[in-house]
Structures are given as structure tokens and as C-alpha cells.
Amino acid sequence: MGSIGSRALLASLWVAAVSLVHGQSGTGQFLYAAWLTSEGMPHNSVTSAFQGTDGYLWIGTGKGVSRFDGVRFENFSVSEGLPDNNVLSMMEDRRGRMWAGTERGVALREAGKWRHPGKGWPATLIWSLAQAGDGAVWAGTEKGALRWNGGQSPPEAVTVTAGHPEVRSLLADGASGAMWILHRTELFRWEDGQLERFPQLEALADGRELWRIQRDREGAMWIGGDGFLAKRGNSRSEWVEMTSAMPDAEGIHIDMLSATDGTLWVATRNRGLRFLRDGVWKRFGVEEGLSHDDVRSISEDTEGNLWVSTNGGGLNRVVEQQIEVFGRGRGLGRHVTTALALDKDGVTWAGSDGAGVLKLKGNDFEPGLPDGLLPTGYVWSLLAADDGALWVGTFRDGVMRWKDGKAEWITVRDGLTRNWVPSLMEDRRGRVWIGTRHGGVHRWENGTLKTLRGSPDEEGVAINQMLEDRDGTVWAATGGDGLYAWKSGDFQREGGAEGLPNDWVAALHEDSQGRLWIGTGGGGLALREAGRFRIWTQYQGLLSNSIQQIQSDAHGCLWLGTDSGLQRVVIAELFEVMDGRRDTVAGVAFSRADGLPTPQFTGGHGNLSLRDPSGALWFSLASGAVRVQPEFTRKDPIAIRVSIESASSERGELWNFETPGAAARRDDVGFPPGTGTVRLRFTANLLRAPEKLRFRHRLIGLEQDWQDSSNERVVSYSSLSPGDYQFEVMAVGRDGRWQSDATAIGFHIQPFFWQTMAFRVVMIMIGLGALTAAVRWWSLRRIRRKMQLLTQERRVEKERSRIARDLHDDLGASLTEINFLGTLAADSLEKGTTKNRIEGVVERAQRMAKSLDEIVWTVNPANDTLASTANYLCSRTQESLEVLGMRCWLEVSDNLPEMPLDSELRHHLLMVVNEAIHNVLKHSGAREARLFLGNEGTSLVVRVEDNGCGFGPDEVPPGRNGLANLRRRMEAVGGKCTITSAVGHGTRVRFDVPLRHPAPPRKG
């Protein structure tokens, strides 16, 4: 339904028109922007444009109506309810409804829809629309006038004349309901059903066609026609023709506007605009920048923008520049402006980097010195001294003093250290201070030049500017070496140690309160107070950290010329920021959109800015100079009004601010389930430089912090959960101040039935029931498995007990019997081979009995405890050692835990202890041995020690596997074996076995 104009194209259409005149009401220079079909307009023929109470610009065109917020066009045509696309007139009534008059009747917009007003309205050409003081709506048609009181009744026909009843224009007359009716050749006044005719105007017009009747701000009425313009001061005065005072009065005067500044604007067909200011008529047309000279209407919005409708040139916005530019058309701009000076007569002088010195005469600059006087024309600094002399500091040619038509030069031949002179200053005693580059500061007094002590003269350091404050201290700003002060006959440096943020000092300024302001080339703005510096940068709201020029006005503001444009800041706000009472300074920035030809302000030398006796501020640019009237720029900014236009999703539009009841439902808008991505569109009523608007937003219910959306006017939120939300948005204008109150809309995303609380409660209950059943089933299953395991363990233990019992009772008894019979047989035989063999059988039977005992102990589940293991190891060790008469020491820790040991671990422990005891008996030659059992942390520690001969690490004979077997057995159960021995000092074998299921230690 609508089309969106490109912001980039919109910005590129800003073009400065040529200079017209410097009037008392403003600069007399204008900026314009034009919108055509390429920027989203439905048609290049525009018949009317005005700002509605909703803040939008409503535009009537040859292809319907367009609503414009400064960025986006929303277009309406026959398909949206208009009777015809060729719109000739538009109006807003007191109820906020838009009316559109077309070639085939009228339509009104209500609740977001265009509709026919009702029965009785003819399908005829509608020239004009107006609402009377009594609320009646009037329409001027090609067949006369219509008056409608609303409701269901048809409009009343008001016939003004026979033959040619065409009514071109209507104008309400007070609250009584009276109406002025302008016929194509006659004027009537209707009141209470009676028509009054004005033959005096007819005689004045002398048959020329009449087109528009308007009232200016003083209450006077104006009528425009074909080569005709007349004015009537009040109800008792006569009509006076004004065309004779207007140059080039031929043409059709089709519309008039009395602007807020008192200027009268007249729109003409094929001759552009005329405006009357300070009693002087001027022209503004295609030659001055207008897109087309066939102008059909002109209106003014709340910001003071003029909206000019043209027949073929689209829609134009005309704005008077707040900044007066002195460029190529006014004598400057062909070269960089390098210096400005104001002489005692109030005349402004300008220096350039190639055109020498220029002087303001009238409204233009012209050469101020004779040709050839300056060798190169490169001027670095200017000074208009109190004695009438003009001092010119040059680039490489020294200083020239011009007075009474004579030139006097001061160069290196006269004692000047260098011929580069970037700054000049006169103190209260009339002495001239000369700042050089690479050569320090000099002072000229009564024809004598003196080089001053302590001034910076290093290579690359220039004296950018000098200033004498109200206390008589002379300050020198340097490019690269900080700030210098002349005190007690010497220059003293102040720099980073004192808090100066940057050693490149570009500008100095003392305000009316005697405060010294310092502009730096990268460190921001500084203020010197009590020997220290206070600093403001971009973080505190400055436009740039490179401050090239500084001036102050009579309203407590500083004006900063930077490398990014011009900024006005309130001094009181600077201190509020410094004291923590506000976050940033709300400075007003001026750029190309305000008429500034370039954002690059000259810096680094000379007196680049000044304030003239009228209070106007001058600044130097790379392309000329500008003059600013602070009073003209101090117009109160309009209150920015942000409007939330609509909410939509992939399913279409969910809410629109124009839909019936939208305002009443604004705090509780319902969105259906499964809305998906919600797109919220908003805008603001700022029509001048809308690209400078910045927005921020937040969605309460999802985010608490503000989100910066820059100049984007659509915000999307994806996959929002069902629930309540509130969308808030606010804007900040060119003055840097955010709205005090955000614009908000509350909405509720409805859930699917499975997302409702009742459904969730039911599902939770079902889930809890299912979980309970599952837990019960799992618990029973676990208990059953545990019982099965216990049953199986008991069966295994019974089987192990049976095996142990059978081994002990059957095999053990048989071995005992063999041992007994063999012993008897051996005792009955004489010594010999047979006896030896029988004794060997007996010995082997005894070892088998011992091994069988160990197997029975290992298999028997009754011994599956750590305590049983300790007791058995001690008894077997004692039994083995005492057989050979070796003293045995047994030590068992009282801290052994009560815990089970599986048969595998017990078997390996028994084997390694037996092997260790066997080694003691066989190899150590010890008199005594010691067995220790204890625990350290989660490990069981078993040590076998002897006081025998010991051995060295290299003394173990090859092929002996005893020690290696000990280590392998310990590794099999996750433990380790450590052997410590030394010749003559015995041997210690330590076994560390991890206890897998530690239990609390036994209580003694």
C-alpha cells in the first residue's frame, strides 16, 4: 500500500540555494529538498500538502493521497476507497478526519479507512474544502458550493451565480458559521442563508480569474488570481490591489501563506514563489533551487518548514538557513579562509591562503588591499589594531603593517626569528604580539621588536593563537607543546602535568565570566581553573574531540567549530556534566542539513572566529566563512512526538493506530496464539532533517535496558512466549534531549490451549502420577534384583562353604592319613633309598596339607573380612618363622576398618606374604623378622621386615623371579610392591593394596 523513500537519496537531495538577501528576519538564504516518484511519491504532480494534527504531512497528488513522516510515504488511491486518483483539494476537520476532493467527488478518512461521506454528495470536481465555525463542512465544486452538517442528511447546495457557478476557494469567517466563497470572477460572503456580493473586488479584478482566498497572521485577507493580488485589512476596509508593488506580477497567483516569521509567500503558476519581507518582494524559483516553477500550493508546518507543491516537480521543502554562508557567490570560498578580524569601525576582514586579504562591503567580500602588496597572497593571521593599522601575518613572508595606505614589513632582516607568522594579538597597552612557527613569540612596541624569553621555538612548534585575559596574563597556544603563560617577564609552560589533555592547542577563548576555554586537537574541550584543567570530550556529548574554534554568545552558550561540524553547548550544562548531575551535555549540532557548506572548520593558526558588535558569530571554513545569529538559532525545538503506528507478524497486521478503538485498547492489545515474529513500526513528527532523529526502545517483559535503534523505525521480536508485554520507544532530536516520557503500547500474546496454566496444571498432575508409578515400578524392580543378587550370593557362599568343608574333611583327612602312614613306614625302615623316598612322600604330603589349608581358608566365605585376613597372615607368619627358631614380631594396627575382602585379594595377599617370608628364611640369614598390617587413607599396608644381610640393587642373580612375582601379584589387584634393601642393613618389603569399600574404623 505504501512505498518507502531512501534515506540516502533524501539526504543527497539537500542543496543550498543561491543567496537572496540578508534580511532582518533571517539569513535570507534557503535550503531545499525535493521528493519525486523516485523517492516514493505516487506522482510528480502535487496539488496540496499540509501537516495534520497527527504530525504527518498529508499530500494530494495526481495519483491519490500520500501520508509522509519525513522518511516513509504511505500512498492511498482508488483501491483504498478514493472516488478518483486525481486529488485537487484536501482538508482536516476538527475531529481529525482527512477529506480529499477529487475530480469525481469527495471522500473522508475515518478509523483508518477512506469512505464516501453519505448520500447526496455528487460525483463532481471538488476545487476546495473548508470547515465553518459552526462545524459545517463546505465544498467548492464546479457547480457551486455545498454545505453539510454531517449525519445522514445530504449536503445543501449554495448557488452563488448563474451561468458559471464554479467555486474555486473557501475561507471560514469566525465562529458564527459564516463562509467566504470565491467564485472564478466574484466574491461572496454567506451567513445564515444569506449571500453578500462584493462588486468593489470585481471591479478591481476587472474580469481576471480568481483562484485563492487566504487570511494572514494579522487577520488581513488576500485574494490571488490571474495576474492579480489584492488585500483587505479588516471587515470595514476596501480591497487594495497589491500587484503593482510586485515585480514581474504576471502569472496566476494561486496560493498565499503568511509564515510565522511574518513573511508573506505567494505561489504562482509557472513563475515560482514570491515572498514579501521587510517591504521588499523577492523571487524564489527554479534558478534559486526550486524543482519546478509551476507551484500549486504552499503551507508551513510546526517546525517552520515551507512545503511547496509543484505541478511536475514533486514536493519541495524550503527552509531558511540558520547559518549565513559567505562562499564563492559572496567573495569567499575559492580559497581556504585562514583568519578573521574586526576593525574599530565594525568592518569584518578575512585572510585566505591564496587570495590575500578581503573586506566585507555590504553583503559581499571584496579585495581589501591593493594588488601585488602581498607577494604570494598566503595569509596566516590578521589583526585590526586600535590605531587603525591592519597587521597581516603571512606564510614565509613575515608580517606586514598596513596603515594610511602605506605598508611596513617586519621580517627576519628586522629581527624576526622566522617569517612564518600564524598568530597576532594586541594587548591593552597597544603592544602587538607576534607568534611564529619554529621561532617563538615576539613583541612589537613603538617600532621596536623584542624576542620574548621562554617562548617555545623548537622545530615543528607553532604559536597557533594568543590571548590576553582580564588579569593581563598573555596565553600562547602551541601546536605540539601545550599551553604557555607570560608571567613575571617569562613564558611558563602548562601541559600534561597540570592536566591538559593534549599538547596540540588549537583555540583559546575567554567568556564574559573571565573563564579561559581551550580547544585541543584531539583531547576535547578544556577549562582552566585554579591552575588545573577540567575536560569534556565526546563521551560527555561533544560533537568531536578536535576543537578548532571557540566563541561564546550572550545567552550563556559556547559555540565550537570542530572537524565534524558546528556545535552549540550550554555552559551551565557542561558544569552539570562535570558535577555528575547529568550524563551528557545536550548540545545542538549544525551540519549540511542546516546550510553548513562543509563540516571542516579551519584550525591551527590565526584568529579564526570572532563576535561582531551585533552579537553575530563568525567562523572560518575551508570553503569560506559563516555568520550565525544566535537569536535566530535559539528557536525552541518542537516537542518530539513519537507515534507507534502498527504491529504485525507473518500472518499480517495485528494492530494499527487508526483502527476503531485502537486508542482505548492501547494498553491491552491481544495477539493470537502462534504470532511468531512481532514487528512494531513507529515514527516521529520531525519533518526537518528526520535523518538526525535517533530512537531507543525496550520491551518490558523481555528486556529492561534501553536498546538503541538509531534512525531505524521498525523493531522485530522473534519467538515471543505467551504473556504480557509493554513496548516503549522514545526519540532524541538535534538538541540532544530525550523525551521525558516514552510512548508505549501494551499487548498480550495469547497462548495455545497447551500453553495455558490449566493445561499445564493437568499435565503436571499427569506427569507426577506417571512419575510416581515409574518410581514405584523402578523401586520394586531394584528390590527384586537386589534380593536375587543376595540369594545368588548366599548360594555362592553355601557352595564355597561346601567346597571348603569337603576339601577339609575329605582331602585333608586323606593327606593326614598319608602323612601318618608314611611316618610309621619310614620309622620302621633302616636308612637307605627306600626310607628316603618314603620321607619325601611324607614331606610332600605335609606341604600339600599346608597348601590345602590355605586353599580352604581362601575359599571359605567366613574368612571374607579384613580382620580374618590379618589374623590368618599373622598365624601363618608366626608358624613359618618359629619352625626355624627365628624370632617373630607381629604388629596389627588398631585402626583397621571393618570391611569385606574378596577371595582373590585375600589369595594374592597370602601368596605375597608367604613369598616374602620364604625369602627371609632362605636368603636373609636374619635372627628376627617383623610383620606389620595397618591402613593409610584408603589403602591397606602390609610390611615384611628382617635384620638380615640385605642385598644391593645389582646383586639379584639372573633367573630369580621371586621379586618380579611379588610386583605382578600386586599389580593384579591394583596395588604396588616396594622393596627396600641395603647390604648389612636388612630388607623391607611393603605392599600397598587399595581398599575398594572403606568403612569407618573400629572403635577401640
Side-chain angles (χ1 to χ4, degrees):
M1 182 171 64
S3 58
I4 301 175
S6 167
R7 290 194 299 273
L9 286 174
L10 184 150
S12 68
L13 286 171
W14 275 107
V15 181
V18 300
S19 170
L20 299 178
V21 63
H22 178 63
Q24 297 177 2
S25 301
T27 63
Q29 296 179 335
F30 297 89
L31 297 168
Y32 81 92
W35 287 264
L36 303 169
T37 55
S38 56
E39 283 74 55
M41 285 281 292
H43 200 268
N44 288 336
S45 177
V46 182
T47 55
S48 60
F50 67 94
Q51 187 178 33
T53 55
D54 55 9
Y56 291 94
L57 196 73
W58 289 86
I59 308 159
T61 78
K63 281 191 176 180
V65 175
S66 187
R67 181 168 62 186
F68 183 48
D69 65 356
V71 174
R72 174 177 172 262
F73 289 94
E74 188 175 5
N75 301 321
F76 311 99
S77 62
V78 172
S79 60
E80 281 77 39
L82 293 179
D84 188 78
N85 280 339
N86 191 11
V87 179
L88 302 176
S89 57
M90 290 194 69
M91 178 199 75
E92 182 181 19
D93 65 20
R94 295 188 183 95
R95 292 171 58 183
R97 300 180 299 181
M98 288 295 159
W99 292 71
T102 74
E103 283 190 351
R104 296 179 58 81
V106 68
L108 67 87
R109 184 172 179 82
E110 191 171 32
K113 303 291 184 181
W114 290 98
R115 67 174 180 85
H116 193 270
K119 62 181 180 179
W121 284 89
T124 187
L125 186 149
I126 308 295
W127 280 112
S128 58
L129 292 163
Q131 188 173 26
D134 61 358
V137 173
W138 286 70
T141 79
E142 61 181 348
K143 297 179 181 180
L146 296 173
R147 180 178 180 272
W148 185 58
N149 277 324
Q152 300 299 317
S153 61
E156 172 191 357
V158 180
T159 303
V160 294
T161 184
H164 299 283
E166 185 176 342
V167 173
R168 296 280 179 77
S169 185
L170 297 162
L171 179 66
D173 190 13
S176 65
M179 182 68 66
W180 291 93
I181 305 171
L182 185 66
H183 176 259
R184 61 183 296 179
T185 58
E186 300 173 281
L187 176 65
F188 301 87
R189 184 177 182 273
W190 183 96
E191 187 172 15
D192 295 331
Q194 302 296 318
L195 277 176
E196 179 184 3
R197 185 178 176 184
F198 292 82
Q200 187 255 338
L201 177 67
E202 298 172 28
L204 201 63
D206 193 21
R208 286 174 289 190
E209 285 197 37
L210 306 178
W211 284 95
R212 189 65 57 91
I213 181 170
Q214 290 282 24
R215 194 183 301 276
D216 66 20
R217 295 186 178 276
E218 286 73 34
M221 285 194 299
W222 293 75
I223 289 181
D226 190 357
F228 177 75
L229 188 66
K231 176 183 178 182
R232 185 188 190 202
N234 55 57
S235 60
R236 292 180 296 276
S237 63
E238 297 292 327
W239 287 95
V240 178
E241 185 175 7
M242 304 297 294
T243 318
S244 58
M246 180 187 295
D248 189 22
E250 296 302 320
I252 300 175
H253 304 107
I254 200 167
D255 198 11
M256 288 78 66
L257 170 70
S258 179
T260 54
D261 63 0
T263 302
L264 178 71
W265 292 85
V266 178
T268 73
R269 282 189 178 177
N270 300 319
R271 294 179 184 270
L273 294 171
R274 303 286 188 272
F275 67 95
L276 178 63
R277 175 183 287 178
D278 302 324
V280 179
W281 284 98
K282 293 292 179 182
R283 180 180 187 276
F284 189 80
V286 171
E287 294 179 358
E288 289 76 29
L290 202 63
S291 66
H292 205 288
D293 275 339
D294 188 354
V295 181
R296 295 305 173 92
S297 73
I298 183 169
S299 66
E300 184 180 25
D301 64 21
T302 55
E303 300 172 65
N305 303 308
L306 300 181
W307 294 94
V308 182
S309 306
T310 71
N311 183 27
L315 180 67
N316 286 242
R317 179 181 60 198
V318 179
V319 181
E320 187 161 17
Q321 293 182 194
Q322 295 186 341
I323 297 173
E324 186 177 6
V325 179
F326 292 85
R328 293 195 174 194
R330 302 183 70 174
L332 295 180
R334 290 180 176 85
H335 300 273
V336 176
T337 300
T338 57
L340 292 169
L342 191 71
D343 65 22
K344 62 180 181 179
D345 298 323
V347 177
T348 302
W349 296 74
S352 70
D353 68 347
V357 177
L358 300 106
K359 178 181 179 180
L360 182 64
K361 186 176 182 180
N363 289 315
D364 300 320
F365 279 89
E366 60 182 31
L369 296 175
D371 290 341
L373 190 62
L374 297 174
T376 62
Y378 283 86
V379 177
W380 252 15
S381 54
L382 283 177
L383 170 65
D386 290 340
D387 63 358
L390 180 70
W391 292 73
V392 182
T394 71
F395 179 71
R396 296 183 177 178
D397 295 319
V399 182
M400 184 193 73
R401 180 175 181 268
W402 172 263
K403 185 178 182 182
D404 300 329
K406 296 181 180 180
E408 177 183 358
W409 284 91
I410 303 172
T411 67
V412 292
R413 293 190 298 270
D414 306 293
L416 200 64
T417 309
R418 293 294 180 97
N419 279 338
W420 288 272
V421 182
S423 59
L424 293 165
M425 185 206 71
E426 183 180 24
D427 63 19
R428 296 186 181 88
R429 295 169 58 181
R431 299 177 298 183
V432 175
W433 297 65
I434 303 171
T436 69
R437 182 179 180 184
H438 317 315
V441 179
H442 305 264
R443 191 172 63 206
W444 186 89
E445 184 177 10
N446 297 325
T448 302
L449 188 69
K450 180 181 179 181
T451 302
L452 302 181
R453 292 186 306 169
S455 60
D457 57 1
E458 293 88 354
E459 187 72 22
V461 175
I463 310 299
N464 288 337
Q465 188 179 348
M466 292 180 290
L467 177 146
E468 183 184 22
D469 65 19
R470 62 177 55 186
D471 297 327
T473 301
V474 173
W475 297 91
T478 75
D481 200 30
L483 187 65
Y484 281 76
W486 177 258
K487 297 178 181 179
S488 303
D490 196 1
F491 272 107
Q492 300 176 18
R493 182 181 183 277
E494 295 190 8
E498 291 74 28
L500 189 68
N502 194 293
D503 281 339
W504 187 276
V505 182
L508 300 172
H509 177 74
E510 185 181 32
D511 64 18
S512 60
Q513 303 299 315
R515 293 172 292 217
L516 181 64
W517 298 92
I518 302 151
T520 71
L525 177 69
L527 171 66
R528 187 183 183 277
E529 281 187 325
R532 303 296 294 178
F533 295 94
R534 304 178 76 173
I535 312 299
W536 294 265
T537 66
Q538 286 179 290
Y539 291 108
Q540 286 79 41
L542 295 190
L543 188 62
S544 172
N545 287 335
S546 181
I547 313 297
Q548 309 288 356
Q549 302 171 39
I550 306 175
Q551 283 297 324
S552 58
D553 61 22
H555 308 287
C557 295
L558 281 184
W559 292 73
L560 309 176
T562 75
D563 61 354
S564 301
L566 181 65
Q567 186 178 23
R568 183 187 71 201
V569 296
V570 179
I571 295 176
E573 291 185 0
L574 289 172
F575 288 105
E576 289 176 3
V577 170
M578 188 57 62
D579 297 339
R581 286 176 287 167
R582 62 185 305 147
D583 295 330
T584 59
V585 60
V588 178
F590 299 86
S591 62
R592 293 183 187 273
D594 305 291
L596 198 64
T598 174
Q600 186 67 50
F601 281 68
T602 311
H605 56 79
N607 295 354
L608 296 167
S609 62
L610 58 86
R611 176 176 167 184
D612 67 20
S614 70
L617 307 179
W618 289 77
F619 298 93
S620 303
L621 298 175
S623 58
V626 294
R627 176 168 59 185
V628 181
Q629 299 286 350
E631 290 77 10
F632 184 60
T633 66
R634 285 181 61 80
K635 297 177 182 178
D636 292 333
I638 67 167
I640 299 176
R641 182 177 60 192
V642 176
S643 302
I644 300 175
E645 294 184 307
S646 65
S648 62
S649 72
E650 293 85 351
R651 299 184 178 184
E653 192 170 76
L654 303 169
W655 176 87
N656 187 290
F657 75 106
E658 288 187 296
T659 54
R665 296 187 295 108
R666 189 180 192 89
D667 295 331
D668 188 21
V669 180
F671 294 165
T675 294
T677 298
V678 176
R679 286 185 295 275
L680 295 149
R681 181 179 293 279
F682 49 88
T683 189
N685 62 326
L686 192 69
L687 297 175
R688 181 187 302 183
E691 66 276 0
K692 288 188 175 182
L693 267 180
R694 289 189 295 117
F695 296 91
R696 64 182 182 185
H697 65 274
R698 63 181 177 182
L699 186 63
I700 304 298
L702 179 67
E703 55 196 6
Q704 292 297 322
D705 296 331
W706 289 100
Q707 309 296 318
D708 187 6
S709 55
S710 187
N711 195 31
E712 295 296 326
R713 303 182 181 211
V714 179
V715 175
S716 297
Y717 293 96
S718 61
S719 303
L720 290 178
S721 302
D724 295 318
Y725 299 91
Q726 178 166 297
F727 177 71
E728 298 179 345
V729 60
M730 63 171 59
V732 61
R734 60 179 303 182
D735 61 352
R737 301 179 192 275
W738 288 98
Q739 291 175 271
S740 56
D741 297 317
T743 302
I745 176 175
F747 62 89
H748 175 79
I749 295 183
Q750 300 169 359
F752 289 105
F753 75 90
W754 61 81
Q755 294 175 315
T756 61
M757 183 58 67
F759 182 82
R760 290 177 178 175
V761 170
V762 171
M763 293 306 297
I764 289 173
M765 294 177 66
I766 293 174
L768 289 174
L771 180 63
T772 302
V775 169
R776 186 173 184 277
W777 173 83
W778 180 80
S779 299
L780 291 174
R781 183 171 180 271
R782 185 180 179 188
I783 291 172
R784 291 192 189 102
R785 290 185 63 187
K786 186 177 290 187
M787 293 183 66
Q788 290 175 354
L789 290 174
L790 288 174
T791 302
Q792 185 175 357
E793 288 179 2
R794 287 173 184 168
R795 289 176 180 173
V796 171
E797 288 180 358
K798 288 182 178 179
E799 184 66 17
R800 288 172 59 194
S801 298
R802 185 190 64 77
I803 293 172
R805 187 171 56 254
D806 291 348
L807 287 174
H808 183 271
D809 295 344
D810 187 6
L811 189 58
S814 298
L815 289 174
T816 302
E817 184 178 354
I818 291 171
N819 183 36
F820 177 73
L821 294 176
T823 303
L824 291 177
D827 290 342
S828 63
L829 296 176
E830 296 291 334
K831 290 183 178 181
T833 303
T834 302
K835 182 180 178 77
N836 291 340
R837 287 179 178 174
I838 293 174
E839 287 179 348
V841 170
V842 172
E843 183 181 356
R844 181 166 296 182
Q846 290 175 346
R847 289 201 303 271
M848 288 180 63
K850 182 178 179 182
S851 297
L852 179 63
D853 182 66
E854 292 174 353
I855 292 172
V856 170
W857 174 79
T858 301
V859 172
N860 193 345
N863 300 320
D864 285 351
T865 63
L866 181 57
S868 174
T869 302
N871 291 334
Y872 190 76
L873 291 177
C874 289
S875 64
R876 293 308 301 265
T877 299
Q878 186 174 23
E879 178 183 340
S880 298
L881 293 176
E882 287 180 350
V883 170
L884 298 179
M886 189 179 294
R887 182 180 298 175
C888 176
W889 297 92
L890 301 174
E891 182 179 352
V892 179
S893 173
D894 293 335
N895 229 18
L896 283 178
E898 295 179 357
M899 61 176 296
L901 293 181
D902 58 60
S903 58
E904 181 184 10
L905 179 58
R906 291 190 292 114
H907 172 70
H908 284 292
L909 275 177
L910 178 61
M911 292 298 102
V912 296
V913 171
N914 283 343
E915 182 70 23
I917 295 298
H918 176 74
N919 290 336
V920 171
L921 294 173
K922 188 174 182 180
H923 304 293
S924 68
R927 296 186 301 276
E928 60 181 39
R930 179 186 299 270
L931 174 67
F932 169 81
L933 287 94
N935 70 302
E936 293 183 5
T938 59
S939 295
L940 173 66
V941 178
V942 179
R943 293 197 306 270
V944 177
E945 304 173 0
D946 65 67
N947 61 354
C949 61
F951 61 90
D954 300 327
E955 294 182 2
V956 179
R960 297 289 181 89
N961 298 322
L963 300 182
N965 287 337
L966 296 179
R967 292 190 176 94
R968 281 196 295 271
R969 284 188 180 276
M970 284 294 98
E971 290 173 359
V973 294
K976 65 178 181 178
C977 171
T978 306
I979 301 173
T980 307
S981 181
V983 177
H985 295 282
T987 301
R988 171 185 291 182
V989 181
R990 172 175 171 142
F991 306 105
D992 291 88
V993 182
L995 298 176
R996 295 182 178 87
H997 303 287
R1002 287 182 296 179
K1003 296 180 181 180

